[in-house]
Amino acid sequence: MKSGLSFLVGALRCEIDELEQLARTSELVATIGRLVHALQRERGISNVLLASRGQRFARQRDEQIAECRQLEEAVRLAFDQLDAEGRVVGNGARLFSRIAWVLPGLAALPELRRRIGALELDAGRSTAAFVKLVAGLIAVVFEAADGATDPEISRRLVALFNFMQGKEFAGQERACGAAAFASGRNEAARQQQWLHLIASQEHCFQLFTEFAAPGLAEAWGALQSPAQLAEQERLRRVACAAPAGVALDSELSQAWFDCCSRRIDAMQSVEERLAEDLRQLCMQKTAQARTELQAHEALLASLQDDDGGTADFFLDAVAATDAAPGPSSLAAGAPYGRQLERSILDMVQEQSRRLQAMGDELATVRAALNERKLVERAKGLLMAHRRISEEEAHKMLRQTAMNQGRRLVEVAESVLAMAEYLPADKAS
Amino acid sequence: MKSGLSFLVGALRCEIDELEQLARTSELVATIGRLVHALQRERGISNVLLASRGQRFARQRDEQIAECRQLEEAVRLAFDQLDAEGRVVGNGARLFSRIAWVLPGLAALPELRRRIGALELDAGRSTAAFVKLVAGLIAVVFEAADGATDPEISRRLVALFNFMQGKEFAGQERACGAAAFASGRNEAARQQQWLHLIASQEHCFQLFTEFAAPGLAEAWGALQSPAQLAEQERLRRVACAAPAGVALDSELSQAWFDCCSRRIDAMQSVEERLAEDLRQLCMQKTAQARTELQAHEALLASLQDDDGGTADFFLDAVAATDAAPGPSSLAAGAPYGRQLERSILDMVQEQSRRLQAMGDELATVRAALNERKLVERAKGLLMAHRRISEEEAHKMLRQTAMNQGRRLVEVAESVLAMAEYLPADKAS
């Protein structure tokens, strides 16, 4: 017959389990970030190789592939550790499902690289392949952020996720611009996509700034040299503001690529700091919770381990209340007075309030992830009702967004608003 | 080096873990429901004993206490089992914290009963003690509902929670009315509280109807005999519609008590059906998931256990997409055509979509629990800023609700809307 004490301690143990799990997930996220960065570089290098029909960047590509292979091993090992632990706190099923999607993509890399080396693919398809793989890796980070059970850590993960996503948009912009300049001419469709990539990128960094730990948002701002920003904006203007069909100076291709790369490498250094900050926070929180647990256990050992001692307190508390506390009286907090300061009930109430406050805060942070979920749902709806692939669904939404000059999530919301007019057999 | 297959299976195992946990939690909820019902009866009987200065219901009380003791044992055992399993899926910490609060309340029962037997308490304080304990037990059910990870089971738990809560309001109305009739006179404050209990009760049953499994809401409707409802409404009118200060026929006290008790016993039979339905659903879902897991394992065993086989598919899928799938391309679903029907990617995508749809559905169901959380938050705010107990905070909210003829949650929302005008050191 266990007492309230053991459940008070049990609750703390649950919290520690979750914090330790979060620490492991955060390590995984950092490892994924490094692989993503390396793949983004390989994507860019491969494009130059393909665009130059194999004349340029062959050696750089070999070096980059070697680096990617090492980082891929690290990610695979982190995945395996996760699985070895078996059950994952929170959304284990969704996290594993994302991983299951990514692994075939990693397995496809050697074949992708062979085809690129043999110049069997054009830059567009090579980019699409890398984009898809990177999206899968970032999706794992998203689930990690969505599954976090500690609000502070969740904030950091949301910031990191948005930074990674923004960095990926920047990488896609680099590829898009490099292709535009290299082709020597401007096309309306590509301009439109380019502008869309800029907007999505800025939105991500705005969310990052909102959720990043104090100091880190500033660190990112400080790393962007005004001169370089000016140069990038100038090249953007040259290519995007000019009327479609205008010829572009293909010599600018290299300048554009270098300019973007400097910015993206700066992002990577910020990302490393974000990951380190996250790691520190997890360790610190786990240590803190452990100390609390020990303090509780010591205190509880000093009290007799049954609830009899608190019976009178409970009754006093009751007697002190002259009305039914009503429906939502959970860990009811009547004023027990000094004689109860060390009582279990006080500790339980304190814990209960803390857990409640954490839950509220967590809900607020998670709301920031809803945009992405809305887009997912809108796509699911279109896929189910139009019998189209996810790419097609996403293209539809993005096209509408670009045509109407609205954000992707706004279009998604409009689509979902129509959901009830559609038959009930919809996918989401 | 694990393959996508093992993570696909790992995701399914996570789901099964969660379903098995839900099955155990559901059993716990059913056990709690029986104890709550017995305590509600003991509360009513104790009031009659106290009101009659020990003349009436002494024997019934002994029998009722014996029944309560048995059911209390069952609940304690269920708690212990939960703890023995260690980590609980979802909100384990909050669930344990609620249990830690309830146990001292149970430990206080013998002393409470002694004081009642010795007529040392008045009916009001005796009621308050039982109300507080029952509220703590129902709070455990709330956490169970809030922690459920399967939308269908979550719906059932939300329905069951609201039914239990409504039943508790009905029990409080029984006590309130019995005291009013017994006292032989009508008071404005009590009338107001009485009407508030009726409104809260109806709101709970409305939510129950909304979330109950098909057939069970109807079953509840069918169980309420029109004649009895008419009688109860008549007695309500006699006591509440009459101007305050009017004398009440104290003979009606028994009639009122019996009328309410018949209705509450009917509720208990419905509650048993709800619990049984929930148990069935959990078993069925777990069996279903197990079959799926076996099917997957069998299928996967027949495929080579590495992702190489899917590499080309992945590339084909890529090649089939002529645009970057963009930010939210998670388990991207390009049309692979028949040759891929049995591929891992298809299975992963199917699983990923199902998990996503489940997540969306779950969010919708949980929204129904937000009202209670809003009230909790508003109370936390008042407690922190006015340095008052939870009972006092709840009384303030309820008083405002009654004065303004608004629902408790509406008042809570108004309070929370002011939150940002208050200093930052607030509790929630």
Side-chain angles (χ1 to χ4, degrees):
Chain A
M1 203 58 71
K2 293 213 179 67
S3 73
L5 312 186
S6 41
F7 284 93
L8 184 70
V9 169
L12 274 167
R13 289 218 185 88
C14 288
E15 284 190 78
I16 292 175
D17 279 345
E18 293 181 343
L19 284 168
E20 286 172 342
Q21 179 61 50
L22 272 176
R24 285 183 290 260
T25 320
S26 301
E27 293 289 353
L28 169 67
V29 165
T31 319
I32 288 176
R34 290 183 203 102
L35 175 58
V36 164
H37 184 65
L39 288 170
Q40 286 164 333
R41 277 192 64 79
E42 184 182 349
R43 175 175 61 193
I45 291 170
S46 304
N47 281 350
V48 178
L49 183 89
L50 291 167
S52 66
R53 310 302 305 144
Q55 296 312 299
R56 303 178 47 211
F57 279 13
R59 190 180 47 71
Q60 290 94 320
R61 178 167 174 264
D62 293 339
E63 292 165 8
Q64 192 58 33
I65 289 176
E67 187 190 340
C68 284
R69 284 219 180 91
Q70 285 186 357
L71 293 164
E72 179 186 335
E73 287 313 295
V75 167
R76 284 178 176 273
L77 279 173
F79 284 164
D80 291 357
Q81 281 173 352
L82 216 57
D83 190 30
E85 292 152 22
R87 194 164 75 195
V88 175
V89 176
N91 56 353
R94 295 221 305 285
L95 189 65
F96 281 176
S97 176
R98 300 304 189 199
I99 293 174
W101 165 256
V102 161
L103 286 170
L106 291 177
L109 273 173
E111 171 61 14
L112 175 63
R113 286 168 177 150
R114 189 195 60 73
R115 294 192 195 176
I116 291 169
L119 308 178
E120 291 172 18
L121 287 178
D122 61 25
R125 294 196 159 179
S126 163
T127 304
F130 281 106
V131 164
K132 185 166 193 160
L133 179 56
V134 168
L137 286 163
I138 292 180
V140 176
V141 176
F142 178 85
E143 292 302 342
D146 199 35
T149 46
D150 177 276
E152 247 188 301
I153 295 173
S154 178
R155 290 184 71 85
R156 302 287 214 281
L157 279 166
V158 169
L160 181 50
F161 162 76
N162 279 289
F163 195 86
M164 286 175 78
Q165 184 66 74
K167 178 167 172 285
E168 167 60 5
F169 284 131
Q172 289 179 30
E173 185 196 3
R174 174 174 62 184
C176 172
F181 282 115
S183 73
R185 59 191 318 281
N186 212 339
E187 284 159 21
R190 194 191 274 128
Q191 280 183 322
Q192 212 178 18
Q193 188 192 350
W194 194 335
L195 293 170
H196 188 68
L197 285 169
I198 295 173
S200 317
Q201 204 177 138
E202 283 166 352
H203 179 61
C204 284
F205 288 125
Q206 178 209 319
L207 282 170
F208 155 73
T209 318
E210 201 173 314
F211 287 97
L216 286 170
E218 293 71 5
W220 163 230
L223 261 170
Q224 304 181 76
S225 89
Q228 186 184 319
L229 277 177
E231 171 66 358
Q232 180 154 25
E233 288 297 354
R234 187 183 70 80
L235 292 167
R236 281 173 169 175
R237 173 181 52 76
V238 167
C240 299
V246 165
L248 292 175
D249 174 4
S250 57
E251 284 309 302
L252 289 177
S253 173
Q254 184 68 50
W256 166 259
F257 190 84
D258 298 342
C259 175
C260 291
S261 301
R262 277 191 300 275
R263 180 155 168 269
I264 291 172
D265 290 342
M267 287 179 193
Q268 180 57 13
S269 69
V270 174
E271 203 177 287
E272 288 290 348
R273 283 184 60 178
L274 293 176
E276 177 54 24
D277 169 66
L278 180 60
R279 206 178 62 79
Q280 296 287 351
L281 182 66
C282 288
M283 279 170 50
Q284 165 198 332
K285 279 198 165 262
T286 313
Q288 188 183 320
R290 280 230 186 73
T291 320
E292 199 183 338
L293 180 62
Q294 283 160 6
H296 273 61
E297 282 171 332
L299 172 58
L300 301 179
S302 72
L303 301 169
Q304 81 244 42
D305 187 85
D306 74 66
D307 301 312
T310 59
D312 298 340
F313 304 154
F314 189 84
L315 289 172
D316 298 344
V318 165
T321 77
D322 47 13
S328 54
S329 171
L330 303 187
Y336 296 102
R338 295 196 41 73
Q339 85 284 5
L340 273 181
E341 262 170 9
R342 291 173 69 255
S343 88
I344 303 144
L345 291 182
D346 285 355
M347 289 160 62
V348 173
Q349 284 171 52
E350 193 283 330
Q351 184 187 54
S352 166
R353 291 207 195 93
R354 190 172 48 78
L355 290 170
Q356 184 193 321
M358 273 173 65
D360 297 341
E361 165 75 3
L362 200 55
T364 321
V365 178
R366 287 219 180 122
L369 300 172
N370 282 343
E371 283 202 0
R372 187 186 172 103
K373 290 178 180 167
L374 284 173
V375 174
E376 290 291 300
R377 262 154 78 179
K379 281 194 302 184
L381 204 64
L382 292 174
M383 289 160 73
H385 287 285
R386 310 203 151 215
R387 305 260 170 280
I388 57 177
S389 76
E390 197 199 5
E391 271 82 0
E392 291 166 310
H394 184 79
K395 243 184 120 180
M396 269 186 70
L397 291 176
R398 196 184 49 187
Q399 196 55 53
T400 317
M402 293 193 292
N403 298 344
Q404 303 180 355
R406 293 158 73 205
R407 300 219 354 262
L408 200 63
V409 64
E410 293 165 351
V411 176
E413 275 168 337
S414 321
V415 170
L416 291 169
M418 308 177 340
E420 62 205 27
Y421 300 106
L422 298 163
D425 69 293
K426 60 189 187 295
S428 69
Chain B
M1 205 57 74
K2 293 213 177 67
S3 73
L5 311 187
S6 38
F7 284 93
L8 183 70
V9 170
L12 273 167
R13 291 217 182 90
C14 288
E15 283 191 79
I16 292 176
D17 280 345
E18 292 180 344
L19 283 169
E20 285 171 342
Q21 179 61 51
L22 272 176
R24 284 184 290 260
T25 320
S26 301
E27 293 290 353
L28 171 67
V29 165
T31 319
I32 289 176
R34 288 182 205 104
L35 176 58
V36 165
H37 184 65
L39 289 170
Q40 285 164 334
R41 278 191 64 79
E42 185 182 348
R43 175 175 59 195
I45 290 170
S46 305
N47 282 349
V48 177
L49 183 88
L50 291 167
S52 66
R53 309 302 305 144
Q55 296 311 300
R56 302 179 47 212
F57 278 12
R59 192 180 44 71
Q60 289 94 320
R61 178 166 175 264
D62 294 340
E63 291 166 7
Q64 191 59 34
I65 290 175
E67 189 191 338
C68 285
R69 286 221 180 89
Q70 285 186 356
L71 293 164
E72 180 186 335
E73 288 312 296
V75 167
R76 283 178 176 273
L77 278 174
F79 285 164
D80 292 357
Q81 281 175 352
L82 216 56
D83 190 31
E85 292 152 19
R87 198 164 71 195
V88 176
V89 175
N91 55 352
R94 293 220 308 283
L95 188 65
F96 281 177
S97 177
R98 299 303 189 199
I99 293 174
W101 164 256
V102 162
L103 287 170
L106 292 176
L109 272 173
E111 171 60 14
L112 174 64
R113 286 167 178 151
R114 190 196 61 71
R115 295 190 194 179
I116 291 168
L119 308 178
E120 291 172 15
L121 288 177
D122 62 24
R125 293 195 159 179
S126 162
T127 303
F130 281 106
V131 163
K132 186 167 192 159
L133 179 55
V134 168
L137 287 163
I138 291 180
V140 176
V141 176
F142 178 85
E143 291 303 340
D146 199 34
T149 46
D150 176 277
E152 249 188 299
I153 295 174
S154 178
R155 290 184 72 84
R156 303 287 215 279
L157 280 167
V158 170
L160 181 50
F161 163 76
N162 279 289
F163 196 85
M164 286 175 78
Q165 184 65 74
K167 178 166 174 285
E168 168 59 5
F169 284 131
Q172 290 178 32
E173 185 197 2
R174 174 173 61 183
C176 173
F181 282 115
S183 74
R185 61 191 314 281
N186 213 339
E187 285 157 21
R190 197 193 272 128
Q191 280 183 322
Q192 212 179 15
Q193 188 192 352
W194 195 336
L195 292 170
H196 188 68
L197 284 169
I198 295 173
S200 317
Q201 204 176 137
E202 283 168 351
H203 178 61
C204 285
F205 289 126
Q206 177 208 320
L207 281 170
F208 154 73
T209 318
E210 201 173 313
F211 288 97
L216 286 169
E218 293 71 4
W220 163 230
L223 261 170
Q224 306 181 76
S225 90
Q228 187 185 318
L229 276 177
E231 171 66 357
Q232 181 154 26
E233 289 296 355
R234 188 182 69 82
L235 292 166
R236 282 172 169 175
R237 172 180 53 74
V238 167
C240 300
V246 165
L248 293 175
D249 174 3
S250 57
E251 285 307 304
L252 288 177
S253 174
Q254 185 68 51
W256 166 259
F257 191 84
D258 297 343
C259 175
C260 291
S261 301
R262 278 192 298 276
R263 180 153 168 271
I264 291 172
D265 290 341
M267 288 180 193
Q268 180 57 13
S269 69
V270 174
E271 203 176 288
E272 288 289 348
R273 282 186 60 177
L274 294 175
E276 175 55 23
D277 169 66
L278 180 59
R279 208 178 59 81
Q280 296 286 350
L281 182 66
C282 289
M283 279 170 50
Q284 164 198 335
K285 280 201 165 254
T286 314
Q288 186 181 322
R290 281 230 187 72
T291 320
E292 198 182 337
L293 179 62
Q294 284 160 5
H296 273 63
E297 283 170 333
L299 172 57
L300 302 179
S302 74
L303 302 168
Q304 83 245 41
D305 187 83
D306 75 66
D307 302 312
T310 59
D312 297 342
F313 304 155
F314 188 84
L315 288 173
D316 297 347
V318 166
T321 76
D322 47 14
S328 54
S329 170
L330 304 186
Y336 298 101
R338 293 196 46 71
Q339 85 283 5
L340 275 180
E341 263 171 6
R342 292 176 69 256
S343 90
I344 302 143
L345 290 183
D346 285 355
M347 288 159 61
V348 173
Q349 283 169 52
E350 194 282 330
Q351 184 187 54
S352 166
R353 289 205 197 94
R354 189 172 49 78
L355 290 171
Q356 185 193 318
M358 273 174 65
D360 298 341
E361 165 76 3
L362 200 55
T364 321
V365 179
R366 288 218 179 124
L369 300 172
N370 282 343
E371 283 201 0
R372 187 184 172 102
K373 290 178 180 168
L374 284 174
V375 175
E376 290 290 302
R377 262 154 76 178
K379 279 195 301 184
L381 205 65
L382 291 173
M383 290 161 73
H385 288 285
R386 309 203 154 217
R387 306 259 171 280
I388 56 177
S389 76
E390 197 200 6
E391 270 82 1
E392 291 166 310
H394 184 80
K395 242 184 122 179
M396 270 186 70
L397 291 176
R398 197 184 49 187
Q399 196 56 50
T400 317
M402 293 193 292
N403 298 345
Q404 304 180 353
R406 293 158 72 201
R407 301 223 349 265
L408 200 62
V409 64
E410 292 164 351
V411 177
E413 274 168 337
S414 321
V415 170
L416 291 169
M418 307 178 339
E420 61 205 29
Y421 299 106
L422 298 164
D425 70 292
K426 58 188 188 298
S428 69

